[in-house]
Amino acid sequence: PNSTDPSKSEQQNIACLSVSPSEENLVCSTDVSQLFTITLSSADLGKGDQAHFETLSQAFHSNQVTGLDVCIRKPLVATCSLDRSIRIWNFETCCLELYKEFAEEAYSIALNPSGLYILVGFSDKLRLMNLLIDDIRTFKEFTIRGCRECSFSNGGHLFAAVHGNIIQVYSTTTFENV
């Protein structure tokens, strides 16, 4: 199936199929751990037609999750993965709020207590990003390569980033290494 999630636009191979007890729906799992469904009555296809599967719930990470953080003031959880994506989940509604794919793998993630910013440690840089309504955008980069752990202070005015055995603390407002 081809996913309706832009982060999963590549072809996926079907790993398993199952028909509902009422024989109305077909559910399939793919080789990258995604679930899709199709209503069999709508799948009445002629020769050469293609069936279009819909995502069963939401798209999940298809590789190892390397970072996870929970927001203090909003019902948000942020995850990053070796599948090169960042996902922001709402744990009250159990929905995927935001996702974005990047060119490199993300190793660590931290949510600002306000829920408006995230800090992500990539293989090449540490990036401070805005969480917008429909996008995640970088607005400040730090030359910290391979940051495997990062975290905001309880107030969100400072953040710490780990590089090897060094912990660097920065101001969130001035971006200076304090």
Side-chain angles (χ1 to χ4, degrees), residues 5 7 12 17 23 25 38 43 64 66 70 84 90 92 97 103 105 107 112 118 120 122 129 153 166 176-177:
D5 177 3
S7 70
Q12 299 179 34
L17 292 171
E23 297 181 356
N25 298 310
I38 189 167
Q64 177 183 356
T66 55
V70 178
R84 299 178 176 170
N90 184 319
E92 282 185 350
E97 295 279 326
E105 297 170 340
Y107 297 128
N112 185 279
I118 57 170
V120 183
F122 289 97
M129 301 179 177
S153 64
I166 299 170
E176 291 179 14
N177 188 344

Side-chain angles (χ1 to χ4, degrees), residues 4-89:
T4 57
D5 177 3
S7 70
K8 296 289 169 204
S9 58
E10 75 277 354
Q11 282 292 119
Q12 299 179 34
N13 295 320
I14 294 174
C16 183
L17 292 171
S18 181
V19 178
S20 67
S22 64
E23 297 181 356
E24 291 179 11
N25 298 310
L26 174 70
V27 176
C28 71
S29 65
T30 67
D31 57 344
V32 291
S33 306
Q34 303 302 312
L35 294 173
F36 295 94
T37 185
I38 189 167
T39 304
L40 292 174
S41 61
S42 70
D44 215 6
L45 303 171
K47 193 172 186 175
D49 289 343
Q50 287 188 350
H52 293 282
F53 287 79
E54 298 294 325
T55 306
L56 184 61
S57 56
Q58 63 257 350
F60 301 109
H61 288 292
S62 61
N63 206 330
Q64 177 183 356
V65 174
T66 55
L68 179 138
D69 197 20
V70 178
C71 186
I72 294 172
R73 296 187 185 119
K74 290 185 180 180
L76 299 177
V77 174
T79 58
C80 62
S81 170
L82 294 180
D83 65 6
R84 299 178 176 170
S85 71
I86 293 173
R87 295 171 192 266
I88 308 297
W89 311 86

Side-chain angles (χ1 to χ4, degrees), residues 107-121:
Y107 297 128
S108 60
I109 194 163
L111 265 165
N112 185 279
S114 69
L116 301 175
Y117 312 106
I118 57 170
L119 189 64
V120 183

